[in-house]
Amino acid sequence: MKQEIAFIQRADLKVKPDTASLGFGKYFSDYMFVMDYHTDIGWNDPRIIPYAPLTLDPASMVFHYGQAIFEGLKAYKTADGTIQLFRPEKNMKRLNESCDRLCIPLIDEDFLLHAIKQLIVTEKDWIPDGEGTSLYIRPFIFSTEPYLGVRASKQYQLLVILSPVGAYYGNQLSPVRINVEEHYVRAVIGGVGHVKTAGNYAASLKAQEKAEANGFAQILWLDAKENKYVEEVGSMNIFFKINGEVITPRLNGSILPGVTRDSVIELLKYWNIPVREVKISIEEVFAAYERGELEEAFGSGTAAVISPVGELNWNDQTITINDQNIGQLSQRLYNEMTGIQLGKKEDPFNWTVKVAQV
Ligand code: COI
């Protein structure tokens, strides 16, 4: 699909927030990308238009049957004024995997990436350049056909909105306290846990609220069948460093295949640090702690980057990891990842994709 992207200019621009007050996902830029789908004509009418509320029919199928998926990636501005993305083709591919699982028509990955680049160039002044900041890109698709029978919708809308962001958790790199959830489950094999559908996050809120009420920042999910094997954290994948070796749960069909997760594994291999994707039980993690072998734990994600885990609570036992300090490896991975993303470090994998020079 090589369609022209229409542009509608807005009358005046918003006032941009202070870098210090950014937080995560609170502010939105001046424009958004929109595209529609109808079974008769396919994806059509791509346009960059002023950011504004949407008008939707109350019978739109998304409100009733939940066909809604999304992605998350970031744009960075380097010291020499290069605007770049980090492995965006992986997000485009995963978006289509989410589409496929939710019976949403596939998108042209190259075209969407081209549209995202065009939107970012339009909004280049929204890319913050403070320490630990970036422009978060949120593509999402939802069903719009007004119909109440249960089947896949025949109409959809795809949007891309942009949000200047700082750290996902209050303080970048400050170790987080995590509760291992023993009652609720996130996803089952054969379900939708391996794709980015809105419902996965809705289903996680009850446990998240419970964790927060007890002073924890996040939940560590276990497998739904045996309530035994480690899966992922609320908004991140999880890694443990045990006796010099880094271990992360193997992708099993109910774990989200994170782009940052994959990048961490690649970096560790590049550094010759032993890394394995395995089926690991929470019992094994706690046993490693008892033996004094649990050296570090950290989460990885686009929003969270690298987030050290300072405390894990499971089965009425709370363990403190690395004395609640930022682990050496977590720090190294954070420095390397953000260094590559911000053009401060060499990019041996060609992960960054240049969008423009300003
Ligand atoms: C991301 O890391 O981009 C995510 O989508 C996680 C969360 C903010 C939902």
Side-chain angles (χ1 to χ4, degrees):
M1 187 172 88
K2 275 287 159 279
Q3 299 185 48
E4 271 295 296
I5 300 174
F7 179 66
I8 297 176
Q9 189 143 15
R10 57 186 293 155
D12 39 37
L13 301 180
K14 299 178 187 175
V15 176
K16 296 184 180 59
D18 283 349
T19 304
S21 70
L22 285 180
F24 184 86
K26 295 191 290 180
Y27 303 99
F28 301 97
S29 73
D30 290 305
Y31 290 93
M32 60 190 187
F33 173 77
V34 186
M35 185 159 71
D36 303 314
Y37 179 91
H38 192 287
T39 26
D40 295 343
I41 47 176
W43 286 108
N44 67 90
D45 197 12
R47 54 205 186 272
I48 292 174
I49 60 174
Y51 184 101
L54 305 171
T55 302
L56 289 172
D57 193 303
S60 293
M61 292 180 84
V62 66
F63 297 132
H64 308 278
Y65 308 126
Q67 276 177 292
I69 58 164
F70 70 95
E71 267 304 321
L73 61 160
K74 285 173 171 171
Y76 309 85
K77 198 184 280 172
T78 71
D80 74 352
T82 304
I83 296 172
Q84 57 190 27
L85 298 169
F86 184 75
R87 312 186 78 183
E89 65 291 340
K90 285 190 102 43
N91 297 91
M92 300 300 104
K93 186 165 175 278
R94 193 173 60 185
L95 186 69
N96 261 344
E97 280 156 13
S98 301
C99 282
D100 181 58
R101 181 63 184 84
L102 274 276
C103 296
I104 295 172
L106 302 190
I107 50 112
D108 179 329
E109 295 173 22
D110 293 339
F111 179 74
L112 181 58
L113 185 51
H114 162 73
I116 287 173
K117 287 180 182 172
Q118 201 157 313
L119 180 65
I120 288 167
V121 170
T122 308
E123 297 288 65
K124 58 183 184 311
D125 295 340
W126 279 90
I127 308 175
D129 49 17
E131 180 70 29
T133 65
S134 56
L135 186 65
Y136 188 77
I137 305 163
R138 173 52 65 86
F140 59 108
I141 306 177
F142 53 92
S143 51
T144 54
E145 186 190 354
Y147 181 64
L148 294 184
V150 179
R151 59 153 169 74
S153 173
K154 293 181 179 174
Q155 296 167 39
Y156 298 86
Q157 202 156 58
L158 180 157
L159 277 87
V160 182
I161 57 174
L162 305 177
S163 175
V165 298
Y168 187 72
Y169 303 107
N171 262 329
Q172 192 73 65
L173 273 178
S174 59
V176 288
R177 303 181 65 218
I178 290 187
N179 187 47
V180 181
E181 178 54 49
E182 294 176 72
H183 173 67
Y184 298 109
V185 296
R186 175 184 171 273
V188 295
I189 291 177
V192 292
H194 60 302
V195 294
K196 262 183 118 57
T197 177
N200 284 341
Y201 296 83
S204 75
L205 299 179
K206 194 81 182 162
Q208 176 68 28
E209 284 195 351
K210 190 176 88 178
E212 279 171 15
N214 291 309
F216 297 97
Q218 285 271 313
I219 311 144
L220 177 63
W221 295 106
L222 300 179
D223 78 284
K225 195 171 166 198
E226 296 181 68
N227 218 17
K228 184 171 173 187
Y229 297 99
V230 176
E231 297 241 310
E232 63 178 82
V233 177
S235 56
M236 318 184 278
N237 293 112
I238 185 85
F239 288 83
F240 301 101
K241 183 164 173 257
I242 299 176
N243 202 14
E245 183 183 43
V246 183
I247 281 166
T248 192
R250 188 173 59 218
L251 298 179
N252 59 356
S254 59
I255 294 175
L256 192 79
V259 176
T260 314
R261 174 188 181 278
D262 183 78
S263 309
V264 166
I265 294 171
E266 289 302 310
L267 275 172
L268 293 172
K269 286 181 182 164
Y270 185 68
W271 292 336
N272 286 322
I273 294 176
V275 54
R276 260 189 318 140
E277 299 174 72
V278 293
K279 188 170 175 176
I280 181 167
S281 70
I282 190 67
E283 233 173 321
E284 287 173 75
V285 174
F286 273 64
Y289 171 82
E290 293 299 340
R291 292 194 305 273
E293 292 181 356
L294 180 59
E295 294 158 7
E296 282 185 48
F298 59 88
S300 69
T302 298
V305 195
I306 299 293
S307 180
V309 178
E311 226 178 79
L312 266 184
N313 179 64
W314 173 65
N315 208 8
D316 295 328
Q317 193 192 347
T318 302
I319 59 174
T320 300
I321 303 165
N322 200 24
D323 286 333
Q324 291 255 34
N325 292 319
I326 304 166
Q328 242 180 30
L329 184 64
S330 309
Q331 182 76 59
R332 185 177 178 195
L333 283 162
Y334 176 83
N335 292 351
E336 195 69 19
M337 203 77 75
T338 53
I340 292 172
Q341 290 163 342
L342 290 166
K344 291 182 188 163
K345 286 191 180 259
E346 229 186 289
D347 175 13
F349 308 95
N350 288 322
W351 279 339
T352 52
V353 172
K354 183 171 171 171
V355 176
Q357 189 76 32
V358 289

